């Protein structure tokens, strides 16, 4: 089970779990992204990166809602989205757990995230008058640095 502590700093709720999974969720009230999406995207990233392992138990919807000071409906929506996307599964009366990774789905999710970031980069490049060739050179340099 994931134990949780909460810190409130400048409109950001920081939920840090202890035990094995080291769950850390940051919720910003000033973000354009709805709170359930903030929760969903951060838990997905923790699963994809391996911070959360298959079988790890997530905090209950009620506990997470209480610690974040949000509605249980919001955490329910986040957990439903995670379950629908195959990242978690729920056992009635026991809780929600990280599902075994479907590597094809994980790759698709990573590609979606990269496309989202690249779309913003292309938008910025166009606004700044940067050509496609220059943008490709920048991406190549960054990719080869890492």
């Amino acid at each position: 089970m994931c134990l949780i502590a909460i810190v409130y700093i400048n409109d950001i709720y920081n939920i840090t779990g202890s035990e094995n999974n080291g769950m850390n969720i940051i919720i910003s009230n000033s973000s354009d992204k709805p709170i359930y999406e903030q929760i969903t995207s951060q838990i997905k990233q923790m699963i994809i990166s391996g911070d959360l392992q298959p079988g790890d138990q997530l905090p209950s919807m009620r506990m997470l809602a209480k610690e974040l000071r949000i509605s249980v409906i919001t955490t329910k929506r986040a957990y439903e989205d995670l379950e629908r996307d195959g990242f978690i599964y729920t056992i009635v009366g026991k809780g929600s757990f990280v599902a075994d990774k479907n590597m094809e789905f994980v790759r698709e999710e990573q590609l979606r995230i990269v496309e989202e970031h690249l779309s913003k980069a292309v938008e910025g490049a166009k606004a700044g008058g940067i050509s496609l060739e220059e943008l490709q050179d920048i991406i190549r340099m960054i990719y080869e640095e890492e």
Side-chain angles (χ1 to χ4, degrees):
M1 176 124 182
C2 183
L3 300 176
I4 296 178
I6 186 167
V7 179
Y8 180 74
I9 304 171
N10 297 330
D11 286 333
I12 296 177
Y13 289 98
N14 187 4
I15 304 299
T16 305
S18 56
E19 285 192 4
N20 298 334
N21 61 17
M23 191 167 165
N24 186 20
I25 297 176
I26 299 171
I27 300 300
S28 173
N29 291 328
S30 58
S31 172
D32 292 339
K33 215 178 201 185
I35 291 173
Y36 78 91
E37 283 183 17
Q38 293 179 51
I39 295 167
T40 302
S41 64
Q42 289 181 60
I43 292 175
K44 282 181 180 181
Q45 189 54 45
M46 286 184 253
I47 294 169
I48 289 169
S49 69
D51 292 339
L52 290 175
Q53 296 295 314
D56 282 350
Q57 186 172 11
L58 299 179
S60 72
M61 287 182 237
R62 288 177 198 229
M63 178 185 280
L64 187 59
K66 180 181 175 188
E67 295 298 328
L68 289 172
R69 299 181 190 151
I70 59 174
S71 168
V72 174
I73 295 168
T74 303
T75 56
K76 185 177 189 293
R77 176 141 185 214
Y79 278 32
E80 285 173 346
D81 286 358
L82 288 164
E83 191 161 8
R84 179 200 66 220
D85 293 344
F87 282 91
I88 67 171
Y89 63 93
T90 301
I91 300 174
V92 177
K94 296 215 180 220
S96 297
F97 302 85
V98 176
D100 288 330
K101 290 182 184 177
N102 175 340
M103 293 313 288
E104 183 178 319
F105 184 79
V106 168
R107 179 164 167 71
E108 283 298 317
E109 185 67 17
Q110 280 298 105
L111 285 171
R112 186 192 63 74
I113 291 167
V114 168
E115 285 177 16
E116 189 177 299
H117 289 292
L118 285 175
S119 291
K120 291 177 185 174
V122 167
E123 191 176 297
K126 286 180 177 179
I130 297 171
S131 71
L132 175 59
E133 292 76 22
E134 290 173 307
L135 183 59
Q136 288 172 333
D137 289 341
I138 293 168
I139 292 171
R140 189 173 296 105
M141 284 179 4
I142 292 170
Y143 188 86
E144 290 171 356
E145 277 180 6
E146 303 298 318

